Amino acid sequence: MILPILGLLVLLWMFLTYKARMRTRNCRWREDRSRDTAEGRYFVCMSCGVQTFRPDNLPPPVCLKPQSEPRR
Ligand SMILES: [Zn+2]
């Protein structure tokens, strides 16, 4: 009777990774060259409002918003 439990765990893992991907995809970075500093190009996330500076002038690949829910 361990197979159904394993199947449930795999399904749960797939669900969690799917949710993480969706959260990253919803992150839309917008650059504002008028607010550039010596640290790099100014980027602001349109979905969560996080602001960051990137020396390579490229938007961050993931959302930098701190996760509020604790990791389990
Ligand atoms: Zn974001």
Side-chain angles (χ1 to χ4, degrees):
M1 288 301 285
I2 196 119
L3 227 68
I5 299 170
L6 276 175
L8 270 175
L9 282 175
V10 168
L11 274 176
L12 188 71
W13 179 78
M14 283 173 69
F15 175 71
L16 287 175
T17 51
Y18 174 76
K19 272 188 76 176
R21 263 200 302 273
M22 290 302 289
R23 188 162 45 215
T24 304
R25 196 178 300 163
N26 285 341
C27 219
R28 289 169 55 211
W29 294 100
R30 197 171 71 88
E31 67 177 356
D32 190 344
R33 297 177 187 212
S34 63
R35 296 174 75 170
D36 281 0
T37 66
E39 287 181 68
R41 178 136 302 161
Y42 172 88
F43 280 99
V44 60
C45 176
M46 302 312 289
S47 65
C48 63
V50 167
Q51 301 171 15
T52 187
F53 295 93
R54 301 286 291 182
D56 53 3
N57 292 351
L58 290 170
V62 296
C63 186
L64 299 176
K65 183 185 183 183
Q67 302 299 314
S68 53
E69 67 255 53
R71 286 194 174 274
R72 270 172 283 180

